[in-house]
Structures are given as structure tokens and as C-alpha cells.
């Protein structure tokens, strides 16, 4: 029996529905359920010139095997208003959130082994009068998770972030021993629990050039990072560093690590996106469920045109499958 996963197409006027339909041309390795409007997918399928059979399903009648090539399992979730590709409409904000709620709650209830999300448009949801800052925060609230961590991954590299969307001038003050320790513990735990890596080896970037060069280029490594890492090592975490970021991201280091922990957004992610251009995936760690996402936006101008690449969504699917299988493998080993 295959595992079952939820797929949410995100903003209905964007390329998310197109990506779902393009993926359905070939059979997936696991059972994938799109949580979307049947009317939307039928219309978009006609626009794209695709012949995709929609097989409706839902609670109490879940399929046990992947859909055949050229078909897509669908949990019909009606729109509030008909959609024109490329044109945002706040009227459908509640629809977007309902698809996320159905997927997230389904994971909590055990209906799905994980969820994969296509991009949403935060602005139009807020225009509808709904406070929304993103998938991560929404799912953290839904699952009552206090702490989450952003991990970007592509084939052969995983990069987690201590700080995310902060101005560069605020980064140093945000890297506290408490924050660094919390992020490192979540990363270590989820590499074990969700990727099935029994003893993860994590490379940690320094904050400053040359990791501070003994204090001559900054003291954050000496005063904050190194002491925090020492305490974590004493608790059993395999953390290497802090290392200069310019030499850490080289093959001789990366081939012997399970993940890199970067101090800030543009320290780690340019390397990952260069390595995995068009095939990077966003993973939310710290949730009690598995959630992966594409690493691109809604691309409103490309919706309905067929001029898109489904590579990022395919990697998001593969990563969710890998995480679910790794988690089950580790659980089976621990119960022996």
C-alpha cells in the first residue's frame, strides 16, 4: 500500500493549478490527493490543452494506490468566485485557506502522511481582511507549534536558517545563544525523525567573514556561537563549526554533512539556489506534520500559458515522500 499525501494548489489565479495538472500526466510514486476546485482544474486543463481525468475522493473513501498516468485524485473544494488566470480576486482568499486547513488537519488526523503546497499570494489574502503572513505561520497555528525552522533543500544539499527575513543590520543582534540552540535542536531532531538520519552531521556557518578570524573580524563566534555549539555537543548533537561560509560550501565539506546551518538568509540560500536552480524546495521543520513547498511564487503572468517548469514541485513531492518513508523507517527501527 502506498502512502497518501495532500497537494494544495495555492493561489487559484496563479500557476499552482497548472503545476498540479502537469504532474498528473505521469503516475506518482505515492498516492497524491489534490485539494482544489474541480471546476477550476477542469477549466485550466482546457486552457492548457491537457486531457487529465479528475477522480473525486474525500474522507471515508480515500484511494489506496497512486492514480494512473493522465489522472488526478481530487478532494473538491469549491471556489467562492470563478477564476480568471492571472487575475487576483480577494473573494477566493477563504478558499485558499480552506485547502490548507483540510490538508493540515488531514495530516494531524492521519489521513495524509504529509502535505505539499504550491505558492499562495499573501497580499490578496490580506486584502480580503484576513490576517495572513504565510504558509509557515498558518500551519504553525493550526498545529499549535511554538517554534518552526525554515529549511531549503535540493538534491544533494540542505540548508537551514537561524534567522530568516531580517534586514542585514539586525542579524547579529538576533543571533542569540537561545535562538541558535533552539534552531539547531529542531534541525537535529527533524533530520532524525523526518529524514530518518540516525546521527545527523551538521555544518555550522560563522556569522562574520572567516568566522571572525579569532575576533579580529567580529566577536559573535567567540562570545555567542562557539559556546552555544559546545553546550549542544555535550548534549549529543554532531555540530561542526563555526566554519567560514566561503569555504564551508565546497565539495570536500558538503559531501560529509547532512545539513548546513546558516546564520542568515543570503548566507546560505544563494548557494543552494544556484546548485538547485528550478528544483529547490522549502521544508518547514518543527511541525508535527510533514510539509514541503515549492520555492517560487505564483507567477501570475504565466498562469494558463503552459510556459512553466514543474521541477520545483516534483522535488517538493519527492522530498515529502522521502521524509515520510525515513520517518517510518526510523520508527520501525526504534520499536525493534
Amino acid at each position: 500500500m502506498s502512502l497518501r499525501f495532500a497537494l494544495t494548489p495555492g493561489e487559484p489565479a496563479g500557476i499552482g493549478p497548472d503545476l498540479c495538472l502537469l504532474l498528473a500526466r505521469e503516475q506518482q510514486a505515492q498516492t497524491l490527493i489534490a485539494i482544489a476546485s474541480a471546476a477550476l482544474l477542469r477549466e485550466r486543463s482546457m486552457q492548457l490543452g491537457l486531457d487529465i481525468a479528475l477522480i473525486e475522493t474525500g474522507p471515508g473513501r480515500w484511494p489506496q494506490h497512486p492514480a494512473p498516468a493522465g489522472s488526478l485524485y481530487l478532494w473538491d473544494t469549491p471556489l467562492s468566485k470563478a477564476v480568471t488566470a492571472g487575475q487576483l480576486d480577494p473573494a477566493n482568499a477563504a478558499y485558499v485557506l480552506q485547502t490548507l486547513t483540510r490538508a493540515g488537519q488531514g495530516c494531524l488526523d492521519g489521513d495524509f502522511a504529509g502535505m505539499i503546497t504550491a505558492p499562495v499570494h499573501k497580499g490578496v489574502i490580506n486584502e480580503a481582511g484576513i490576517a495572513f503572513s504565510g504558509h509557515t505561520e498558518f500551519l504553525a497555528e493550526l498545529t499549535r507549534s511554538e517554534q518552526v525552522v525554515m529549511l531549503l533543500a535540493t538534491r544533494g544539499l540542505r540548508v537551514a536558517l537561524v534567522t530568516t527575513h531580517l534586514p542585514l543590520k539586525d542579524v547579529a543582534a538576533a543571533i542569540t545563544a537561545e535562538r541558535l540552540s533552539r534552531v539547531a535542536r529542531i534541525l537535529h531532531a527533524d533530520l532524525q525523525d523526518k529524514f530518518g538520519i540516525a546521527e545527523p552531521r551538521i555544518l555550522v556557518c560563522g556569522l562574520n567573514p572567516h568566522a571572525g578570524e579569532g575576533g579580529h573580524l567580529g566577536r559573535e563566534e567567540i562570545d555567542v556561537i562557539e559556546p552555544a555549539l559546545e553546550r549542544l555537543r555535550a548534549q549529543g548533537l554532531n555540530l561542526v563549526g563555526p566554519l567560514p561560509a566561503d569555504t564551508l560550501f565546497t565539495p570536500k565539506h558538503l559531501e560529509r554533512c547532512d545539513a548546513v546551518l546558516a546564520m542568515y538568509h543570503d548566507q546560505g540560500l544563494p548557494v543552494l539556489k544556484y546548485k538547485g536552480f528550478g528544483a529547490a524546495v522549502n521544508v518547514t521543520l518543527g511541525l508535527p506534520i510533514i510539509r514541503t513547498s515549492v520555492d517560487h511564487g505564483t507567477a501570475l503572468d504565466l498562469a494558463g500559458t503552459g510556459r512553466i517548469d514543474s521541477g520545483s514541485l516534483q522535488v517538493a513531492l519527492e522530498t515529502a515522500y522521502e521524509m515520510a518513508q525515513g520517518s517510518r523507517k526510523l520508527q520501525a527501527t526504534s520499536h525493534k
Side-chain angles (χ1 to χ4, degrees):
M1 183 185 300
S2 68
L3 299 177
R4 196 163 48 240
F5 292 82
L7 172 62
T8 60
E11 167 53 47
I15 63 170
D18 308 44
L19 291 170
C20 296
L21 292 164
L22 289 172
L23 283 171
R25 293 178 299 178
E26 298 180 3
Q27 182 173 332
Q28 284 293 317
Q30 304 291 343
T31 302
L32 195 62
I33 314 292
I35 303 178
S37 160
L40 169 65
L41 293 186
R42 288 192 185 100
E43 183 175 349
R44 196 66 59 87
S45 182
M46 290 179 61
Q47 274 186 277
L48 296 171
L50 296 174
D51 184 17
I52 303 297
L54 300 179
I55 306 171
E56 294 200 24
T57 184
R61 50 195 176 99
W62 298 121
Q64 303 301 316
H65 303 285
S71 61
L72 180 66
Y73 290 126
L74 174 71
W75 184 1
D76 186 23
T77 306
L79 291 161
S80 299
K81 190 175 177 182
V83 169
T84 299
Q87 296 183 19
L88 295 172
D89 192 332
N92 283 317
Y95 156 82
V96 173
L97 298 187
Q98 186 180 14
T99 65
L100 294 177
T101 300
R102 282 183 165 185
Q105 191 61 51
C107 289
L108 291 173
D109 293 342
D111 291 329
F112 307 122
M115 61 183 288
I116 302 96
T117 60
V120 296
H121 193 289
K122 291 182 278 190
V124 76
I125 296 175
N126 283 288
E127 284 180 30
I130 303 171
F132 181 82
S133 53
H135 276 116
T136 302
E137 294 80 4
F138 182 85
L139 293 172
E141 183 176 352
L142 179 68
T143 61
R144 299 179 181 177
S145 303
E146 294 184 5
Q147 310 289 351
V148 293
V149 170
M150 180 186 292
L151 176 87
L152 274 289
T154 191
R155 295 180 180 96
L157 180 62
R158 304 182 186 99
V159 178
L161 303 176
V162 177
T163 63
T164 52
H165 301 119
L166 285 179
L168 195 56
K169 66 182 179 63
D170 297 334
V171 169
I175 298 173
T176 62
E178 186 279 332
R179 185 176 198 152
L180 174 57
S181 299
R182 170 172 50 81
V183 172
R185 288 193 188 99
I186 292 173
L187 174 59
H188 173 84
D190 274 11
L191 286 172
Q192 288 184 320
D193 298 342
K194 292 178 180 171
F195 286 91
I197 303 170
E199 298 181 2
R201 187 173 191 266
I202 301 167
L203 303 188
V204 182
C205 295
L207 171 65
N208 297 295
H210 302 177
E213 205 166 89
H216 296 290
L217 293 176
R219 292 193 55 86
E220 285 82 4
E221 286 78 11
I222 294 172
D223 296 339
V224 179
I225 299 173
E226 290 177 0
L229 297 184
E230 281 299 316
R231 288 191 291 272
L232 291 166
R233 290 187 192 105
Q235 297 168 19
L237 277 68
N238 186 358
L239 304 171
V240 181
L243 299 172
D246 62 339
T247 54
L248 182 157
F249 286 104
T250 55
K252 73 173 185 178
H253 286 296
L254 295 179
E255 70 184 8
R256 297 183 294 110
C257 85
D258 297 300
V260 172
L261 182 56
M263 292 295 129
Y264 57 95
H265 188 280
D266 282 13
Q267 182 183 58
L269 298 194
V271 179
L272 183 134
K273 293 188 179 187
Y274 176 77
K275 177 177 174 61
F277 183 73
V281 55
N282 189 330
V283 182
T284 306
L285 305 181
L287 298 174
I289 64 175
I290 290 170
R291 178 258 171 165
T292 67
S293 176
V294 297
D295 186 36
H296 58 69
T298 54
L300 295 168
D301 58 322
L302 296 178
T305 68
R307 301 193 308 271
I308 59 174
D309 184 348
S310 58
S312 182
L313 183 55
Q314 185 60 52
V315 177
L317 290 166
E318 292 171 3
T319 302
Y321 301 163
E322 175 193 354
M323 291 171 69
Q325 290 168 332
S327 177
R328 292 192 171 210
K329 180 180 178 181
L330 195 66
Q331 289 173 9
T333 301
S334 65
H335 290 154
K336 287 183 178 178

